[in-house]
Amino acid sequence: MLEVRQLTRLYGDFKAVDNVSFKIKKGEIVGLLGHNGAGKTTIMKMLSGYIESNQGMIEIDDIDLQQDPKKAQKNLGYLPENLPIYPEMTVADYLDYASEMKGLSGETKISEIKRVIQATDIIPKLLSPISTLSRGYKQRVGVAQAILGKPKLLILDEPTNGLDPTQTRLIRALIRDLAKEATVILSTHIMQEVDALCDRVLIIRNGQVAVDAQLEELRKSNHLQLATSLEKDELITLLQPLNDVIQIEETSTEQQVHLYRLGIAETGDHLALCGDIAKLIINAGATLFSINQEHRDLETLFREVNEAPIEAAGEEIQDAA
């Protein structure tokens, strides 16, 4: 649905975005992550047509953004981090104006405005001047204008910024619902949002794509966590027949409970190994308190990518598993 090839953007001699390429299918919710200055906001601005690239191609639903920007932008909804809303307008007037800017008119415009105000729960503030709204309500007005016209590509920059937990749940549910018919790019500093919503992450570093992978794959680790009564020497001897266990590291001991981190070979079957290790420990007459596959959290992944050498960030994050 969205294809980006060799996208590059220069500001003078500074290369803000450097040869970025990726594809996103319909129905995917993709997290776009990166430190401030990494280039993700510039990428979003180029995807929206707000700024032009120096090099590269963007296709939205098979329409070249550079060749036919108006047609491509009809398929696009964009929520920038700092939405340029008009404080003197009422919410209703602003959404009416945004609808016309998107080419909506007549009954279609009216039904779309009704749909988005219900979806974002801003009916109580419909006749209020935008200047009187709280940050949370302003953010919901921004989401409402972004989803007008049922865009096929939705770009959301910090969509839950300033929202309370109830409002955040509302917007999350809305994004999931929108993704049934659209492609969603979500940029946020809140890792819980990515964990809750995204299927896949693009991590941008120094203007380049450092990682492009399914979130579930990134979470996997080639390690098991084990808690047992066995001393380390005893455990090493016991697990010696299991060739797929390549490392045994004792992480802590407390009241005769020994915690271990077991390194597993790349080709190892984690589930089968858990069963084999459990049998060996129990048959040896020792106590097995717990055994499970280790999963990495997204914050750790993000940190590892940004601390890895630039030329090998993608490879190192996979090797770290």
Side-chain angles (χ1 to χ4, degrees):
M1 194 279 159
L2 171 67
E3 182 173 357
V4 173
R5 290 202 299 264
Q6 298 179 322
L7 202 62
T8 299
R9 172 69 189 193
L10 301 171
Y11 292 103
D13 294 330
F14 175 67
K15 192 174 285 187
V17 176
D18 184 6
N19 200 35
V20 165
S21 299
F22 57 86
K23 294 181 181 180
I24 304 178
K25 297 181 293 185
K26 176 184 174 181
E28 279 193 288
I29 305 176
V30 177
L32 185 64
L33 306 178
H35 283 308
N36 290 337
K40 61 184 188 302
T41 298
T42 302
I43 290 172
M44 286 186 287
K45 287 180 177 179
M46 286 190 287
L47 293 178
S48 70
Y50 182 72
I51 60 174
E52 293 184 353
S53 63
N54 294 96
Q55 174 186 311
M57 183 278 299
I58 299 169
E59 281 190 359
I60 301 172
D61 200 27
D62 296 324
I63 302 166
D64 190 308
L65 180 62
Q66 188 172 7
Q67 297 297 323
D68 198 345
K70 288 186 177 180
K71 187 175 180 181
Q73 286 170 332
K74 283 185 178 180
N75 293 319
L76 175 71
Y78 181 37
L79 174 67
E81 185 175 6
N82 298 303
L83 180 68
I85 51 181
Y86 299 95
E88 71 280 3
M89 280 186 167
T90 66
V91 172
D93 286 341
Y94 173 70
L95 292 178
D96 183 77
Y97 167 74
S99 297
E100 293 193 1
M101 291 291 289
K102 291 192 174 187
L104 303 175
S105 61
E107 288 299 319
T108 302
K109 179 178 75 171
I110 293 169
S111 64
E112 268 300 285
I113 292 174
K114 286 180 179 178
R115 181 184 69 85
V116 302
I117 63 176
Q118 289 175 344
T120 55
D121 195 24
I122 56 175
I123 295 173
K125 300 294 183 181
L126 205 55
L127 300 179
S128 301
I130 291 175
S131 60
T132 66
L133 301 183
S134 67
R135 181 179 180 85
Y137 265 110
K138 287 178 181 176
Q139 192 70 0
R140 283 193 273 172
V141 171
V143 173
Q145 68 77 30
I147 65 175
L148 279 166
K150 298 179 182 177
K152 294 180 180 179
L153 173 63
L154 192 58
I155 303 171
L156 303 173
D157 194 357
E158 304 287 354
T160 60
N161 192 12
L163 303 185
D164 64 33
T166 300
Q167 295 165 347
T168 296
R169 285 195 298 272
L170 173 76
I171 296 301
R172 284 180 183 176
L174 175 61
I175 292 170
R176 290 191 196 99
D177 188 56
L178 291 167
K180 294 174 183 177
E181 299 296 331
T183 298
V184 180
I185 296 177
L186 173 69
S187 179
T188 179
H189 290 90
I190 305 170
M191 296 300 174
Q192 296 94 319
E193 291 300 300
V194 180
D195 273 322
L197 286 168
C198 296
D199 315 302
R200 174 179 159 202
V201 292
L202 289 166
I203 300 180
I204 306 300
R205 182 183 177 191
N206 291 356
Q208 300 177 329
V209 176
V211 172
D212 178 0
Q214 295 295 316
L215 194 54
E216 189 57 36
E217 289 300 312
L218 284 177
R219 287 196 188 103
K220 289 181 181 178
S221 169
N222 288 329
H223 290 87
L224 300 177
Q225 297 285 352
L226 171 67
T228 178
S229 61
L230 288 169
E231 301 278 349
K232 185 174 182 179
D233 289 343
E234 296 173 317
L235 184 65
I236 290 173
T237 301
L238 188 67
L239 300 187
Q240 199 166 9
L242 302 179
N243 294 328
D244 284 335
V245 178
I246 58 176
Q247 179 188 19
I248 299 175
E249 175 190 358
E250 186 168 6
T251 56
S252 68
T253 301
E254 187 175 346
Q255 296 180 349
Q256 296 184 332
V257 178
H258 300 272
L259 301 181
Y260 297 96
R261 188 171 187 251
L262 309 182
I264 306 304
E266 194 74 31
T267 56
D269 184 330
H270 293 74
L271 192 60
L273 269 176
C274 284
D276 293 340
I277 292 167
K279 285 179 185 177
L280 287 172
I281 292 173
I282 292 168
N283 290 339
T287 303
L288 173 66
F289 297 104
S290 66
I291 184 168
N292 57 275
Q293 186 177 354
E294 179 182 88
H295 288 274
R296 297 178 298 170
D297 63 89
L298 190 56
E299 286 192 22
T300 301
L301 294 170
F302 185 73
R303 185 177 65 251
E304 288 175 358
V305 168
N306 283 283
E307 290 176 354
I310 294 173
E311 66 276 7
E315 290 83 351
E316 292 207 4
I317 193 68
Q318 296 290 358
D319 292 344

